Amino acid sequence: MENFKPATPPMWKRVFGNPLVQLSLLVAVAGGVGISLYQKGQQNLERRVSYLKSTVQINPSSNTSVASLAEAVDSEPTEQASQEPADMASDNDATDGTVSAFKVAPAAGANPTATATPSPSATEKSARAGAKDGSHLVVYYAEVGRGSLNAIMGASRSTGQFMNFNDYVAGILPTVDSNINRPQITILHKEDRALDGARTLQWSYSIKDRRDPSVEIGLTTFFEISEIEGNTLRGNLEIQRTWKDPTPSGTFEVQRKSFPAIFEIGGRTGFFLAGVMPPHSNLENEDELTAIDVFKILRSPRFRAGDSEFVIFIEFVKGN
């Protein structure tokens, strides 16, 4: 018995019996499951946004200007557009991915555009009146320095709801107020819209192209509200840009581009979207465009040099 030596355990037993190896395997499995769930969520979100890109459009075609679309519904009662953008919210329902009638916020220094709005039925008026609870959608258009933008994207990545679409980025912000108040952020314009039971909201900042007055150059912001549940707002956002962009032949042509996103915000959380504004307008009458608050960023040396970015922040303020 004194000379007895137990047999050496097989190598696999010695390896897998080590507590450190067991702990490492547990961490690896948990990490793999977490990564798999995150990637699945990202793929689902990408599919939803891809669907939006193919279906959600503010105007029926890229060749239809804001003015011509308003003229297309001139059989309806018309009214003159207000000079104040805050009064321009549209509460028409989008039924087929397009908006058939809307109000346009006029550009500063430009002539207001007459628009057409359908008369709501008595039922719709009653429903909207009953839905008024003081809830607001607040949209901030801002210039954000690269350092702060990187911090904002990092905060959004931590929520698992950050998307990079190559030409633009969007995502949830865990605390919208603290992110808006970061250094290197200049608020260009604040748009505060009462929801009042409306399913769609739309407004535009634009001027007429000097060479082709039928074309409106600028940005249109479009919201489709899916649901308001407690302090949570769900819906779709689309920024549509009509701009003079370069072509492969080296010329500049008016092109319309859409930037859609899906959001779910509430409480202290918000949403952001960045990358929709080129650093140059390529317009002869750029001075008219930069007279509008939203486009004053085009005068910024930081923005022209690529050291800052045009960012849109969205906040939901729940009423009574």
Side-chain angles (χ1 to χ4, degrees), residues 78-141:
T78 60
E79 62 181 21
Q80 190 71 11
S82 167
Q83 293 288 340
E84 292 295 331
D87 296 329
M88 304 308 301
S90 166
D91 52 7
N92 303 307
D93 289 345
T95 57
D96 59 355
T98 65
V99 177
S100 60
F102 52 89
K103 297 181 180 179
V104 179
N111 293 327
T113 305
T115 61
T117 55
S119 301
S121 65
T123 303
E124 289 173 334
K125 287 181 179 179
S126 175
R128 290 171 187 170
K132 291 182 180 179
D133 61 356
S135 297
H136 283 248
L137 188 69
V138 185
V139 182
Y140 302 87
Y141 302 85

Side-chain angles (χ1 to χ4, degrees), residues 166-184:
N166 295 323
D167 52 348
Y168 70 105
V169 297
I172 299 294
L173 288 175
T175 52
V176 63
D177 50 353
S178 62
N179 281 285
I180 290 178
N181 293 320
R182 287 182 183 273
Q184 301 180 324

Side-chain angles (χ1 to χ4, degrees), residues 46-168:
E46 286 177 358
R47 284 195 294 269
R48 293 171 67 192
V49 172
S50 296
Y51 171 76
L52 271 183
K53 284 186 173 182
S54 63
T55 59
V56 178
Q57 293 294 327
I58 297 173
N59 294 328
S61 72
S62 60
N63 297 323
T64 305
S65 68
V66 172
S68 62
L69 187 57
E71 293 170 2
V73 289
D74 59 5
S75 59
E76 300 288 346
T78 60
E79 62 181 21
Q80 190 71 11
S82 167
Q83 293 288 340
E84 292 295 331
D87 296 329
M88 304 308 301
S90 166
D91 52 7
N92 303 307
D93 289 345
T95 57
D96 59 355
T98 65
V99 177
S100 60
F102 52 89
K103 297 181 180 179
V104 179
N111 293 327
T113 305
T115 61
T117 55
S119 301
S121 65
T123 303
E124 289 173 334
K125 287 181 179 179
S126 175
R128 290 171 187 170
K132 291 182 180 179
D133 61 356
S135 297
H136 283 248
L137 188 69
V138 185
V139 182
Y140 302 87
Y141 302 85
E143 178 182 4
V144 180
R146 286 293 170 190
S148 289
L149 181 58
N150 289 337
I152 288 170
M153 290 192 293
S156 182
R157 286 189 180 96
S158 69
T159 68
Q161 297 294 321
F162 172 80
M163 294 296 297
N164 187 338
F165 301 102
N166 295 323
D167 52 348
Y168 70 105

